[in-house]
Amino acid sequence: MPAATAISRSAITAQNFSEGGPSQASTYSVVRRVTMNGTVDVENATQMALVLGAFGAPLSSLRTSMVLTERMGMMRLRTVSATPVPNTESSVFDVTAKYDQLYTWNTGTGLAKLQVPVEVDLDATPRSVLMYRSPSFSTSPSANLNTTTDIGGTKVDYAGKPIQALISQMTMRISMIVDCSSQPSGAARTLVTVFDKVSTCSNKWNSAAFPHFSGANTVLCETGSVSHVRDEYYRATFNFRWDEWLLCEQQPKTDVWGKAALDASGAANTVTWKSNVRSAINLTSIFDLSSDPTLAQQIAREGSFITYP
């Protein structure tokens, strides 16, 4: 029998589809029995490429047009393998292709589409501060606040030495899978897009309401990062912080020796608020990295798509 140059016929002999929750990929496996027009040398890469080509190139899409409105609409070919059928002189092969996607199917009232996962972690750990004055303050702390007059409150220092106290603080981590394949068309996101978003939002206050925080300038996006998951998928992670003092610190005015200037009672005479000045941005723009920003924000707020919208 001459060497094979093409596939003469093929037929699907087995299929399997598996769908998981937000933490599991949906998978589709399919087996084709492929008959070649000649003998294939399994150690010849060129000839084996003809066999494996029954499903196209790795990372090729399952559907001609990738869509979010169909359960298998964003699947790509991940692996393909071929096993010679015995007693066929290496002219017949069972070729197995495995497709998957990190998208999960979300269904609810007014909702039926694929969505990449969004994860949220919250941690309430108090922050240790040096306190000269305890509430109630005549001037409350706020973002970017730097005062020159006394903030009021109850004097709790001793001879200009502050006490160590704990104030409330909440950190929140929002992590989402980003598809950087520029699919589906019209909603392209690339690694450059992710990098720009991380760069733009890091070290910024929220200029508008943000999940779990209704007021502007109350939560800070401290840092952002991106890591490769596999193939076209990346993970973008943003770390946020809410602070009872909005990251302000109490600082006493000092005398000529650099020590806290004291009043007649022996306490710091004038205490001010000091903080780093940071700009603000609409932090909900991080959800633009997701396949559906509205749904991603809903999941970040409620932990589920069930109550969508």
Side-chain angles (χ1 to χ4, degrees):
M1 185 178 291
T5 59
I7 297 174
S8 60
R9 64 179 181 273
S10 70
I12 294 176
T13 59
Q15 293 174 288
N16 177 267
F17 174 67
S18 175
E19 185 176 49
S23 61
Q24 300 179 20
S26 299
T27 62
Y28 170 62
S29 300
V30 56
V31 180
R32 282 182 180 270
R33 175 149 294 187
V34 174
T35 302
M36 308 300 294
N37 64 354
T39 300
V40 173
D41 180 357
V42 295
E43 296 183 358
N44 185 305
T46 301
Q47 293 183 16
M48 284 304 297
L50 296 174
V51 179
L52 299 175
F55 289 99
L59 296 184
S60 58
S61 60
L62 177 62
R63 302 294 188 233
T64 302
S65 297
M66 302 185 80
V67 295
L68 298 172
T69 53
E70 195 263 317
R71 287 179 183 267
M72 301 166 70
M74 297 299 291
M75 285 194 170
R76 291 182 182 274
L77 178 62
R78 306 299 172 180
T79 62
V80 58
S81 60
T83 303
V85 176
N87 304 318
T88 61
E89 298 182 357
S90 294
S91 63
V92 182
F93 293 80
D94 284 330
V95 184
T96 302
K98 294 183 178 180
Y99 297 82
D100 74 24
Q101 61 191 11
L102 292 186
Y103 291 79
T104 56
W105 185 250
N106 296 260
T107 181
T109 303
L111 176 67
K113 67 189 309 182
L114 292 170
Q115 170 70 12
V116 284
V118 178
E119 300 175 359
V120 179
D121 296 299
L122 297 169
D123 177 44
T125 301
R127 176 166 72 99
S128 177
V129 298
L130 297 179
M131 182 181 290
Y132 293 85
R133 302 289 175 82
S134 63
S136 297
F137 306 115
S138 57
T139 301
S140 297
S142 61
N144 302 330
L145 182 62
N146 288 280
T147 65
T148 57
T149 58
D150 190 70
I151 65 175
T154 303
K155 298 179 179 182
V156 294
D157 66 300
Y158 178 75
K161 295 181 180 180
I163 65 171
Q164 193 165 30
L166 296 176
I167 63 171
S168 298
Q169 190 177 75
M170 173 78 75
T171 58
M172 177 171 65
R173 175 179 174 268
I174 296 180
S175 176
M176 66 190 86
I177 298 296
V178 183
D179 182 349
C180 290
S181 66
S182 295
Q183 291 292 337
S185 58
R189 288 165 299 277
T190 66
L191 186 55
V192 174
T193 309
V194 182
F195 175 82
D196 288 346
K197 189 66 67 177
V198 168
S199 177
T200 299
C201 293
S202 294
N203 200 35
K204 298 289 197 309
W205 291 104
N206 62 314
S207 63
F210 190 74
H212 307 293
F213 304 95
S214 58
N217 295 309
T218 56
V219 61
L220 179 75
C221 179
E222 289 192 304
T223 62
S225 63
V226 57
S227 60
H228 189 214
V229 178
R230 61 178 172 86
D231 300 335
E232 72 271 31
Y233 295 112
Y234 288 77
R235 180 178 294 278
T237 301
F238 298 87
N239 297 296
F240 303 89
R241 187 178 300 274
W242 170 86
D243 185 90
E244 184 180 355
W245 283 4
L246 296 167
L247 300 181
C248 290
E249 302 288 349
Q250 293 182 2
Q251 181 174 309
K253 287 193 174 182
T254 58
D255 57 22
V256 293
W257 294 281
K259 297 181 179 180
L262 305 180
D263 61 12
S265 66
N269 187 49
T270 302
V271 177
T272 61
W273 290 117
K274 297 298 179 184
S275 67
N276 291 332
V277 177
R278 303 172 173 92
S279 58
I281 193 173
N282 189 345
L283 295 179
T284 59
S285 65
I286 68 168
F287 298 109
D288 294 342
L289 295 175
S290 188
S291 51
D292 185 329
T294 301
L295 178 54
Q297 189 172 166
Q298 173 68 19
I299 294 174
R301 179 183 296 108
E302 302 291 345
S304 170
F305 60 84
I306 295 174
T307 56
Y308 181 88

